[in-house]
Amino acid sequence: PLSNLDAKLRVQTRSEIIKIHQRISTTVIYVTHDQVEAMTMGDRIAVLNAGLIQQLGSPQELYDHPSNLFVGGFIGSPAMNFFNGAKVATDGDATKIVLDGVGQVEVPPLYTEQTRAATGKNITFGIRPEHLEDASLLSADARNGSTLSAPVDVVEHLGSELLVYMTAGGKSIVARLDPRSQARTGGTVTMHVDTDHIHLFDTDTGQAIF
C-alpha cells in the first residue's frame, strides 16, 4: 500500500500506521513485498515463498537466524552475500571455511561441530554486508585469519557509510564499510569478517546448517 509514495512520505506513513496499531491495540495482518516494511512494522513476520511459510518469528530472529537461503537473502538490505562452493578445511582444532579466489573464514568454537559435520556436502557460505569491515582500519590485535579480498567495482558514498560493490572469484560481494575506508573504484580492499555472524547453508536443500 505504500509503494507509490515517495521515500520521505513512505517513512512517515509507516510511522503513522505503527502509532495507529499501538493506539487501537488489536491484531493487524499486513501483507507486503517490501522487507523493510515488514522489519520495521512487524512484531512477528511470516516469510512466504510460493505460498509456503519459510519461517515465522520476530524481525531480529529472522535477521540473526534465517532458517534457509530464501529467508537469508530476503531479509536485510543490501542482501546477504552468498558464496557457493564453499569448502570446510580442518587443521588440528581449527576449522575454516575456504572460499576459492576470495579468502577464508575461521569458524568459532560454537559452530565447529556442525561445520565439520558438513564436510563433503555442497555448502553455501553467507555473510551480511554490515558484518564486513575494512581490515586496514582495525588494530593488529583485532584482526584474525578471517579475511576476504576483492577488487572494487563501485563505491557508493552515503555519508555515514560506504556501500562497496566488488567481484572476486566470479562472486559478487557487497560491503557496508566505515566512511573512513580508503576503498576506491579500481582498487582492492581486504575485509575482516565478523565470525560471530557467519551463516552456512546446505546448497542442495537450502536449509541452514547452523
Side-chain angles (χ1 to χ4, degrees), residues 5-184:
L5 304 180
D6 63 74
K8 183 178 180 180
L9 187 55
R10 189 180 303 126
V11 172
Q12 181 181 341
T13 307
R14 281 205 309 258
S15 176
E16 291 299 325
I17 293 174
I18 293 171
K19 290 178 182 177
I20 291 171
H21 178 226
Q22 292 171 342
R23 187 168 71 248
I24 65 177
S25 189
T26 191
T27 300
V28 175
I29 298 177
Y30 188 93
V31 182
T32 178
H33 293 285
D34 187 333
Q35 60 94 8
V36 175
E37 286 182 22
M39 292 285 284
T40 56
M41 298 171 65
D43 297 310
R44 286 172 63 78
I45 301 173
V47 179
L48 288 90
N49 182 28
L52 298 176
I53 293 179
Q54 304 295 305
Q55 189 171 356
L56 176 66
S58 68
Q60 198 64 43
E61 182 182 352
L62 269 60
Y63 176 86
D64 289 334
H65 306 289
S67 63
N68 57 36
L69 282 165
F70 181 83
V71 177
F74 183 74
I75 297 295
S77 179
M80 183 185 294
N81 296 295
F82 291 122
F83 300 86
N84 296 327
K87 298 179 177 64
V88 177
T90 57
D91 181 13
D93 293 334
T95 302
K96 297 181 179 181
I97 300 171
V98 180
L99 311 173
D100 288 339
V102 183
Q104 62 183 14
V105 178
E106 294 182 357
V107 178
L110 177 64
Y111 303 135
T112 297
E113 184 176 344
Q114 293 157 301
T115 303
R116 292 193 175 192
T119 303
K121 288 185 177 181
N122 188 16
I123 60 175
T124 297
F125 172 79
I127 186 72
R128 295 194 182 280
E130 50 270 35
H131 297 144
L132 296 170
E133 299 177 88
D134 188 330
S136 68
L137 300 178
L138 301 176
S139 66
D141 292 338
R143 302 176 197 172
N144 58 26
S146 301
T147 58
L148 309 179
S149 296
V152 178
D153 298 325
V154 177
V155 178
E156 293 182 350
H157 295 265
L158 302 179
S160 62
E161 62 188 13
L162 301 180
L163 287 183
V164 181
Y165 298 83
M166 299 153 280
T167 304
K171 301 172 177 65
S172 296
I173 308 169
V174 184
R176 192 190 296 271
L177 302 182
D178 189 289
R180 296 174 298 156
S181 170
Q182 295 302 306
R184 295 292 182 267

